[in-house]
Amino acid sequence: MAFSQLFRKKTVQDILKQVEKNNTDGHDTLGKHLTTRDLTAFGIAAIVGAGIFSTIGKASADGGPAVIFLFLFTALACGFAAFAYAEFASMVPVSGSAYTYSYVAFGEIIAWIIGWALIMEYAIGNITVAISWSDYFTGLLESGGIYLPQWVQMDYLTASNGFKEATALMQGGKSFENLDAGLQTAYTAWTTSPVIGSFHFVADLPALLIIILITALVYRGMKESRNASNIMVVVKLCIVLLVIAVGIFYVDTTHWDPFAPNGVSGVLKGVSAVFFAYIGFDAISTTAEECKNPQRDLPRGMMWAIIICTILYIAIALVLTGMVSYSELNVGDPLAFVFNKLNLKWMSGIIAVSAVVAMASVLLVFQMGQPRIWMSMSRDGLLPKRFSKVHPKFKTPSYATIVTGFVVAIPALFLNLTMVTDLCSIGTLFAFVLVCAGVLVLQNKPNIPRGKFKTPYVNSKFIMPVLIAVGLVYAFGYNQKATMDFITNETQINSPADIVTALDKSHTSQVYDYLEAFDVKNSTTEKPDLELLLSQYEQDDAKYATVVAGLPVSDSIKYESGFSLFKHKIPMWIFLFVLAGLAVWSYKQNLSLIPLLGLICCLYMMAELSVWNWIYFTIWLLIGLLIYFGFSRKNSKLNVLEA
């Protein structure tokens, strides 16, 4: 097979003809039930979830009331990507989302890669939401006096890792009561779980329950899914508006001073968490074939969803930071927390119920998206034909929906929430990057049929260099030390928690003796808490550096340097090199500014994720390439046509 054939493309005309011929090929058509209102509701259902009920608290604690600018920045970044999605959705109104768009813009191999990435995005996103739903649901049960054993409401990895970390900290002198609440529950789940041989049975059973229920609903039909989604959206919007209406009477404007207590860096600190609160609007594009008028309704649905959710996020952030000090909001359930603090416990109960509804609606939208990606890839021959089977009565991709249920349910029992959240983010951002790049690739091609929606054109030829110049002035003029530390790979001191958890028993004793000699006031007959002793020096960078330098342990425990430090900077270096390439490309080709900014913003947020996420993501893509060259390349409809 020639190298060029890897990049064989589908034309928009061929895709539209294929949709018309689906019935003759044995593929039933999907039911057309969705309007702009339904699509907007799906977008709100996907976006208003963890952002309102969880991550907004941590982001507010870091940025203060100025966190509203973070929501605006993230909405802007997602808005740039949404323009690109909307243009493609109007141009190619079929199921498949970024996968189908990449087939048109870049060719088959890139389409396969993005389709494979989308499989991970939706599967991992579903797992993430299912785990979060389980946390809210068990919390609601506990508020009603029903307590499930810890080992049936926690995943295996969290329990195992939490047990190891808690053991290390208690070995360092920290009492069980002083452990973080999450570590306490993980330790309890591990030690109280049934043991089969050496295997501890720890599994998140509520997560399994909600996945089964949502999968059954999605299998049953788009009309039923739409009705359920609309009801859940109405419920949670009513709750959010109630929170704003009640909370506004308890706002104390003195809490808004200072407005940005930690400056720009504090506001941007929560960018990845807030971005995760926005993803999901792209799932709307997978329902294109089920829209009554996709070329008109899809762009409108995406834009309205982002606009409405941004207004809600900003209003909630201002109310929360006005009701209590921003410094108190670093909690997992900020809405319930502030009303509890003000003795409005009846509101806390309502919020707990609405959180369960909100997370279920997010899961519904994500669970709808994945089968439709698989269906599109199957229609093209890149996956087995069964994945494109449409149920004759329910008009849904039935086989793909059932497989999706299994793919999500099994990992949700055992996987760690942090791991799956970051993997979902990198898969989503990768899709956004390619969709924005696709619009740029196609912008000057005259033979591409255009839809009713087109991204407004602004020439980036001279704007892009100016933006880069402003960034360089800020980096070397106002943030010089951090910039030079990044470039020179300056050695960094590990945190107290990292140091303490890396110690064995003998080193623990030696470190305590050293700290006791360093500062006599720390001398005590009680068993020491090493993390607490070390943490007290963190406020003074110079003193903390002196204390750590004298610890009687190896430098590898105390510091991070060399390649072990540089590897974490690789994603950012990739971003910087790509940025330079984009500047040259935009100057030569007069690229459109909006999709270019979308590409840059999404790639920057990818660079902020850890190198381990990039490695895991790369492994996933390599597995996908093995499947492509082993099955998909030979069975591709384009390959059959060529033969």
Side-chain angles (χ1 to χ4, degrees), residues 443-444 454-460 589-594:
Q443 74 171 30
N444 294 322
K454 196 172 189 311
T455 304
Y457 177 78
V458 178
N459 193 338
S460 64
Q589 298 294 326
N590 297 322
L591 296 181
S592 178
L593 182 65
I594 290 176

Side-chain angles (χ1 to χ4, degrees), residues 122-138:
Y122 287 115
I124 296 295
N126 292 344
I127 293 166
T128 305
V129 177
I131 294 172
S132 297
W133 183 91
S134 174
D135 292 341
Y136 284 113
F137 180 69
T138 52

